Amino acid sequence: MERIDVAVVGGGPAGTSAGRAAARQGADTVVLEKGVPREDREGLGPDSTDAAGMLDYWVDLMDLPEAIPEDVILRELDGATFAGPTERITIRETGMGSSYPDFGFTFHRARFDDWLGERCVAAGADYRVGTSVRDVDIDRRGTHTLTLRDGHEIETDYLILADGPQRTITRGVLAEFVAEQRLHNLAANRANHIAYQEYREFPPELFDDDLIKFWWGSMPGHTAYPWVFPNENCVARVGLTMPIGLDIDEVRNPERYRLLEPDDTTVPAGKEYVERLLESEYPDYDLDDFPLVENRGKRGGTETYPISSTRPIDSPVGANVAIVGGAMGATSAFHEGGDHVAVRTGKIAGSLAGAGALDAYNREWKRAVGDEILRNVSMADVVADFEPPDWDDAFQSVGRMLNDGRFSPLRVPFSGRAGLSVLARYGRAKFGYRNDRYVQIRESEYAV
């Protein structure tokens, strides 16, 4: 049996950040990543699928000690466009203090993950790709034993779970500490959204190289929306996120959604949604004018992946177990993933585990990213019941508060009744989640 100090399950942004941080503390650390193939990576690597860019203040929130390499960044962004059925606004600042000089950037996720992996190895961690964990034997008062797919066993003092929103290993570990019914809302078909995207080359005259675009109220579902994100040259990622298993018969007023058609008997598949978006947004062009870039993505220029859309959970740190990133629900469908919170929570857990102080993890992740999670959870609640006209009202109100794409407090009184109502509901939602009430499984609930 192999004996180590810190074992990390999952080699994405949260896992490699945890591994690097633990190794820098002098801990004997291993990061285990099952590995998946991609068109834009040689060999196996983490499941590097994400559509979002990186906003300015997210760079600071990640707390990286060095700048992200230039070959990872694809486009510097000047703003974001939000479109409702008839209203459209473009914001030019996030309104959050940041050291990053621009609005943000889009980036090559596989290169980003590989860079994080290289930093992890350089710090002294053993990063094993192509290694699946079959089982975890938990000892609440001692060490934990991981059995790998090939039968190899690893005994570890500290266990960090970074297996993403599917929680393939996490749910089984949590079942050791909390009743099964408390894990019901963490099941993949309840906790997650499904995302689908395609890499397509745009006609040069249609390619906005400095704006990310979102369409709200065009498809049904809680925080369901399509997007276009510019990449290098004239390539953009066109995709969407939507709830898993949405029944079209449960959709109120389906005729209001422009990406639904009268003869739809089921919610369209992601591919159909993308084609309808392009046809609707660019009616003078054919789909052939937006060819797939087949050497990108998971396969043939496309990819499907889950995004955590649940509220976060604490970790059973009394048993020397920490859960980070998407596995803990720190990422969000509302902002299309969350590499920034994955990196930061992983770094915190790894540093504490490496120093033998993991008891502080639940407190420290809230200190670092609690405000960010609170904003996302609260806003998702506010818009949960929005229909297309509500999005138009909201964007019209926000537009009245903008001056050249930048928020102006002096314009708030002119936002109208709808705008003031949304602000009030957002304030009430945040107040309701005060004192960390956005956490759905607290540390005190675990039997350790």
Side-chain angles (χ1 to χ4, degrees), residues 5 84 93 97 116 146 162 192 204 215 218 260 295 297 325 335 367 370 382 391 396 398 403 410 436:
D5 299 323
E93 66 178 12
L116 292 176
L146 284 67
N192 298 337
W215 285 263
S218 61
L260 290 184
N295 63 348
H335 59 42
R367 190 197 308 273
V382 169
W391 286 108
Q396 185 179 71
V398 171
N403 181 15
L410 297 177
D436 306 328

Side-chain angles (χ1 to χ4, degrees), residues 7 12 20 68 78 113 124 152 187 254 344 378 434:
R20 179 180 188 271
I68 296 173
D78 188 47
D113 283 2
H152 180 68
R344 188 63 178 276
S378 301
R434 67 192 183 281

Side-chain angles (χ1 to χ4, degrees), residues 130-207:
T131 306
S132 297
V133 176
R134 186 177 70 199
D135 187 42
V136 178
D137 183 21
I138 296 294
D139 184 339
R140 301 187 189 188
R141 291 180 173 82
T143 57
H144 311 305
T145 303
L146 284 67
T147 302
L148 306 186
R149 189 65 61 187
D150 62 3
H152 180 68
E153 293 184 337
I154 298 175
E155 188 178 63
T156 182
D157 291 328
Y158 293 92
L159 176 62
I160 298 176
L161 299 171
D163 53 339
Q166 296 288 70
R167 301 180 175 94
T168 307
I169 302 299
T170 292
R171 288 195 71 218
V173 171
L174 288 178
E176 297 285 332
F177 304 104
V178 70
E180 181 65 31
Q181 60 264 29
R182 292 294 288 124
L183 303 179
H184 181 62
N185 287 332
L186 298 184
N189 62 344
R190 294 182 59 84
N192 298 337
H193 276 42
I194 194 72
Y196 172 83
Q197 69 176 353
E198 299 178 351
Y199 294 78
R200 287 183 176 264
E201 184 175 357
F202 273 53
E205 65 273 18
L206 299 182
F207 187 72

Side-chain angles (χ1 to χ4, degrees), residues 31-36 44-46 127-133 148-150:
V31 178
L32 305 169
E33 166 56 47
K34 66 179 181 181
V36 296
L44 299 178
Y127 183 31
R128 305 178 190 175
V129 181
T131 306
S132 297
V133 176
L148 306 186
R149 189 65 61 187
D150 62 3

Side-chain angles (χ1 to χ4, degrees), residues 229-278:
F229 295 144
N231 283 189
E232 76 280 19
N233 302 320
C234 286
V235 176
R237 286 172 283 175
V238 188
L240 56 105
T241 179
M242 60 181 176
I244 297 174
L246 180 64
D247 188 340
I248 197 168
D249 292 331
E250 297 176 359
V251 176
R252 293 181 300 177
N253 304 310
E255 71 281 354
R256 291 180 171 179
Y257 297 93
R258 67 169 177 150
L259 297 186
L260 290 184
E261 296 182 354
D263 57 352
D264 284 334
T265 58
T266 61
V267 172
K271 178 178 177 60
E272 180 64 27
Y273 263 140
V274 166
E275 292 180 354
R276 291 182 186 183
L277 174 69
L278 293 173

Side-chain angles (χ1 to χ4, degrees), residues 14 63 70 114 154 235 255 304 309 342 358 393 421 424-425 437:
D63 194 30
E70 290 184 4
D114 291 347
I154 298 175
V235 176
E255 71 281 354
T304 303
S309 57
L358 196 60
D393 290 343
S421 174
R425 290 174 61 191
R437 293 176 185 172

